[in-house]
Amino acid sequence: MRRSVRFLVGTAVVLPLLLTSCLSIMAFWPNVDPPVGDGSMLIVEAGVHNGSETQALWNTNVSGWAPWVVDDRGNEIPFKPFDTESRVDSFYYSENLSPGTYTLKGFMHVYVDYSILPEDIIPTYGPFSNYAYDLRQYFPLDREVTISLGSRSIETFGRYFVESKYVGGASGTTDDRWKMVESSVRISGDRNDRKAMRVAKNWATLNWTLWNAYNPETAADE
């Protein structure tokens, strides 16, 4: 009986610690679905210059950036954002894509138009959710980037930097205050930059371990 009690007490102490540890790891790295069949992954890194440093794109709960990627039939591909890894800026990823041709056309900015926002709705950042109160702005690259994605593989479109200015931002009062001034947007980058894949190779949750079996890069911090 005493052994049973001791075991139960030990389990009650250890199990929450294990769960907390697992949750901490999951929070530290982006949540990703496991690979399915011949599914593959596409990655884009994007950020802004802050002096000599770089940082994640400014995505508030009412506006945000996302990659503008289409498949060979012109269908828009949704990406998930991850902004809390210190070694990359904004990390965008789309998993379990079918093999085929994909094109990064540029970046889109989604913002709330308060003139069409219902009074009882709190706006949420969801660039691919098609919320009725959202409007989209599309900003093309000077040169589109096309990838022929094979089966069970991971590829990146590269790393990009976006310069932009809000119509009003947090201090604005107009309905379109979170809109970007179109003439202010400048996009630069390097399609051959593979840093995001090298950083992702470090991630060690179960699902990322499965994905990283397809990742040809060597794990690195930079």
Side-chain angles (χ1 to χ4, degrees):
M1 175 67 75
R2 288 181 180 176
R3 282 186 189 170
S4 299
V5 170
R6 236 185 327 237
F7 174 75
L8 290 172
V9 171
T11 302
V13 172
V14 172
L15 187 57
L17 291 175
L18 289 174
L19 289 174
T20 301
S21 176
C22 290
L23 289 173
S24 297
I25 291 173
M26 289 174 66
F28 186 73
W29 293 312
N31 184 38
V32 66
D33 294 331
V36 176
D38 290 331
S40 294
M41 179 185 291
L42 285 173
I43 292 170
V44 184
E45 183 182 3
V48 296
H49 288 289
N50 182 12
S52 61
E53 304 293 325
T54 64
Q55 62 188 42
L57 290 173
W58 181 248
N59 288 348
T60 72
N61 68 327
V62 290
S63 70
W65 292 93
W68 174 19
V69 175
V70 299
D71 63 16
D72 50 14
R73 291 172 293 180
N75 297 317
E76 195 171 78
I77 304 301
F79 279 73
K80 299 175 182 176
F82 182 68
D83 295 330
T84 57
E85 163 66 85
S86 63
R87 295 169 291 188
V88 289
D89 299 324
S90 288
F91 181 92
Y92 295 95
Y93 60 105
S94 184
E95 71 266 54
N96 284 315
L97 297 173
S98 299
T101 301
Y102 296 86
T103 301
L104 174 66
K105 299 179 72 66
F107 288 83
M108 66 176 181
H109 182 260
V110 180
Y111 69 96
V112 171
D113 183 331
Y114 284 92
S115 68
I116 56 176
L117 177 68
E119 292 184 4
D120 59 341
I121 297 295
I122 299 175
T124 301
Y125 167 68
F128 301 101
S129 299
N130 295 316
Y131 294 128
Y133 51 75
D134 276 341
L135 294 180
R136 290 183 174 188
Q137 297 171 280
Y138 289 91
F139 300 98
L141 296 174
D142 291 336
R143 277 180 59 204
E144 296 179 349
V145 183
T146 298
I147 289 177
S148 295
L149 191 64
S151 62
R152 301 183 183 183
S153 63
I154 299 178
E155 273 298 338
T156 177
F157 283 109
R159 185 184 187 190
Y160 300 86
F161 299 99
V162 181
E163 297 177 28
S164 59
K165 180 180 178 182
Y166 289 113
V167 167
S171 61
T173 57
T174 61
D175 289 335
D176 65 348
R177 54 188 174 272
W178 292 104
K179 180 180 181 180
M180 286 298 168
V181 177
E182 294 187 0
S183 60
S184 74
V185 177
R186 300 285 186 274
I187 302 174
S188 60
D190 181 359
R191 65 185 63 201
N192 297 312
D193 190 306
R194 300 175 71 81
K195 176 171 69 73
M197 289 179 62
R198 294 193 298 272
V199 171
K201 191 78 169 188
N202 292 283
W203 298 340
T205 59
L206 174 59
N207 288 347
W208 273 110
T209 299
L210 296 173
W211 277 111
N212 276 324
Y214 305 157
N215 188 342
E217 298 297 316
T218 299
D221 291 344
E222 297 181 358

